[in-house]
Amino acid sequence: MSRDGEKIFFELIRAAVWQRGAEVGNVVTAETWHEVIQLFKAHAMLGLVADAIMSLPPHKRPPETECSDIRRYVGTLVQEHYRQDTVIARLFDMLAANGIAAVLLKGQGIGALYPMPNTRSIGDIDIFVGMEQYPDAMRVASAYCGAGSATAVPTDDNIHGSLEVTRPAWLKGVELEIHYRAADTAIQSIKEEYNRWAAEMMHTGPFRTVNIGGTEVRTPGGAWGVVYVFEHLLKHLRYEGVGYRQFVDWMLCLDAMGCDYDALGRLLRRFRLMDAWQVLGGVLVWQLGYDAARFPFWNERKARHSQGRNLRYITDSANLGHGTAQAKGYYYMRPSLSRKLKAVRYYARYLMFELRLFPHDTVGRQARRLLAALRGA
C-alpha cells in the first residue's frame, strides 16, 4: 500500500464513521483508487465507506467503472442485510415461543451502531443460548432452517453447532451458528473461565436491545458487550486474520455502550486483555479518529507499539479469517515437508509481530506455555 493510498484509506473510514466530509487531495490516480478499493474489500469495509466515496466532488471520485462496482456491491449488501434480518426476527420469535432465552452475538447487533447499519459487511448469524438450552435451540433452529435433525451434541473442541437455511428459496444459504459457549478465546488458558462468565452474563446482563425486522432482540450490553467484541478482535488478530471492520466494531461499541469503566477495567485485567487493549487503542485514536481523552486506560507509550511496521502488518494481513496467521496453520497440516517449513516461516514472522506489538504479554504467555510443557513432560 502506497503512503498516499494509506492516507486516503484511513481518511475515508474516519469520514464514514464520524459522518463528515472526506479530504482526499486534489489528484488521486486511477491506480491509487484501485489499490484503496481493493484494500477496503479485503478489510470488509467497502460498504461502510461507499457513501463517503460517492459524496466526493466528481473530479475526485474513482473512475466510473470503480464507482459502478461500488454501487452494485452496496445494492447486494443491502439485500443480504434484509435476508439476515428476516431470519433473525423469525428465529428469535420461534425461540421465545419455545421458552428459550437467546442473545445475538456480533453481526446485526453491532451493525445497529453504525451510521448506516445496512452498509456493515456481514457473515453468519451467531446466537448464544448456553449449554442447557442448546439441544432445544438446535431443534427449533433445525426446524426453521429445514435442515432435518441436526446434531445437538456439544464437544470440547468446539463452541457452536452450524446450520444453513434451506427454505424458502430467497433465504437459502443464510448461515447460523448456535453457540453453547460464547467464544473460543485468544488466550486459551482463560477459555473456561471466560465462558463461565459469559454464561452468567447471558442470564443477568447487561443487555442492549435492538429492533431487527420488528422483533426485539437482546445483544450483549455494557462492559460485557465491549469486552466480547474486543476479545473477538484479538482472537482474529492472533489466529485467524483481522480486518479494520473489527476495529470499527470495537470503537463503536465502546462509544455507544456507556459502560462502567471500573467494571471494564476489572474484566480486562481478569482476562489478561489490558495490555492488548492499551496497545491496540493506538489504532482507534491515531487511525480511526477516536478521542484519546475518552479512551479508557489510554497509555500512549504502549499505544505506539501499534504503529509503524505493526500497523502495516495489520493492514497487509487482512482479512477476517484469511490472513497469514490462519495460513500458517493450513500449511502445517499439509503433508509435504516444504509446506511444513512454510508454516514455520509464517509462525516465525507472526511471533516477531506479536513480540513487537505486545512485548510484555507475549513473553509472559510464551513463558507460561513453556512451564506448562515442562510440568507435563
Side-chain angles (χ1 to χ4, degrees):
M1 166 65 70
S2 67
R3 190 172 295 276
D4 286 344
E6 184 177 281
K7 288 181 179 178
I8 293 169
F9 177 78
F10 288 118
E11 169 62 15
L12 286 168
I13 295 174
R14 292 189 292 267
V17 170
W18 304 117
Q19 293 289 279
R20 60 168 177 78
E23 294 292 335
V24 299
N26 291 323
V27 179
V28 182
T29 66
E31 291 77 12
T32 297
W33 268 123
H34 181 74
E35 182 182 43
V36 169
I37 289 169
Q38 292 305 307
L39 191 61
F40 278 127
K41 289 180 179 179
H43 284 274
M45 299 191 74
L46 185 57
L48 170 66
V49 300
D51 189 63
I53 292 173
M54 304 309 289
S55 297
L56 292 169
H59 67 283
K60 293 186 178 182
R61 291 178 200 160
E64 181 54 33
T65 53
E66 301 274 17
C67 289
S68 296
D69 288 343
I70 292 171
R71 285 190 285 267
R72 280 193 295 270
Y73 177 86
V74 172
T76 300
L77 186 58
V78 170
Q79 292 175 359
E80 286 301 307
H81 272 272
Y82 183 67
R83 280 166 26 104
Q84 280 213 357
D85 287 352
T86 301
V87 171
I88 290 168
R90 178 58 181 145
L91 186 53
F92 268 76
D93 284 342
M94 291 177 66
L95 290 169
N98 283 269
I100 300 169
V103 176
L104 181 66
L105 302 173
K106 304 173 299 189
Q108 302 298 77
I110 296 175
L113 302 174
Y114 275 59
M116 291 186 286
N118 284 348
T119 60
R120 179 186 181 271
S121 66
I122 54 177
D124 48 29
I125 299 169
D126 296 88
I127 300 174
F128 182 35
V129 296
M131 193 70 74
E132 292 181 1
Q133 298 184 116
Y134 176 69
D136 289 337
M138 281 295 284
R139 174 181 53 80
V140 172
S142 298
Y144 171 71
C145 291
S149 176
T151 180
V153 180
T155 62
D156 291 337
D157 59 352
N158 205 346
I159 61 172
H160 59 72
S162 300
L163 295 165
E164 184 175 308
V165 177
T166 62
R167 62 190 185 199
W170 71 281
L171 295 177
K172 188 174 181 180
V174 175
E175 296 178 342
L176 304 171
E177 292 181 354
I178 308 298
H179 286 245
Y180 46 88
R181 297 187 185 93
D184 187 6
T185 54
I187 303 172
Q188 289 297 301
S189 60
I190 58 99
K191 180 177 178 178
E192 289 188 16
E193 182 184 1
Y194 181 90
N195 279 298
R196 282 196 302 270
W197 165 75
E200 293 171 6
M201 293 299 99
M202 196 191 78
H203 295 292
T204 64
F207 301 106
R208 181 173 55 89
T209 302
V210 180
N211 188 293
I212 298 177
T215 295
E216 296 298 312
V217 174
R218 297 189 310 170
T219 69
W224 176 23
V226 175
V227 169
Y228 183 85
V229 169
F230 178 70
E231 201 287 326
H232 184 71
L233 180 159
L234 188 61
K235 189 196 76 166
H236 269 267
L237 178 64
R238 282 183 165 152
Y239 299 120
E240 301 177 32
V242 74
Y244 281 116
R245 192 212 69 194
Q246 290 172 308
F247 283 87
V248 172
D249 286 353
W250 171 32
M251 182 171 68
L252 292 179
C253 281
L254 179 60
D255 193 59
M257 293 295 187
C259 57
D260 179 339
Y261 286 177
D262 289 337
L264 176 62
R266 286 194 297 272
L267 289 172
L268 292 175
R269 293 183 183 93
R270 176 181 175 182
F271 298 123
R272 303 180 203 162
L273 297 172
M274 182 61 83
D275 188 58
W277 175 280
Q278 292 177 319
V279 170
L280 295 176
V283 176
L284 266 59
V285 170
W286 291 319
Q287 274 67 51
L288 304 185
Y290 201 73
D291 183 358
R294 297 179 58 219
F295 183 81
F297 318 111
W298 172 250
N299 184 315
E300 184 172 340
R301 179 182 61 81
K302 287 189 176 182
R304 292 196 180 281
H305 288 295
S306 70
Q307 302 300 292
R309 292 170 64 192
N310 293 331
L311 185 71
R312 287 194 295 275
Y313 182 97
I314 294 170
T315 302
D316 295 342
S317 66
N319 167 48
L320 295 168
H322 305 287
T324 55
Q326 186 189 56
K328 69 177 175 61
Y330 169 80
Y331 285 116
Y332 182 76
M333 295 302 292
R334 300 303 95 188
S336 70
L337 177 61
S338 65
R339 290 191 174 185
K340 290 186 184 299
L341 290 173
K342 190 170 186 177
V344 172
R345 289 197 299 273
Y346 270 123
Y347 183 77
R349 179 178 177 232
Y350 178 72
L351 185 58
M352 291 305 298
F353 162 71
E354 275 225 330
L355 281 167
R356 292 194 309 268
L357 191 62
F358 313 120
H360 180 269
D361 182 61
T362 301
V363 170
R365 195 154 42 84
Q366 296 298 331
R368 285 191 294 271
R369 290 177 65 181
L370 179 61
L371 286 172
L374 290 173
R375 289 192 193 102

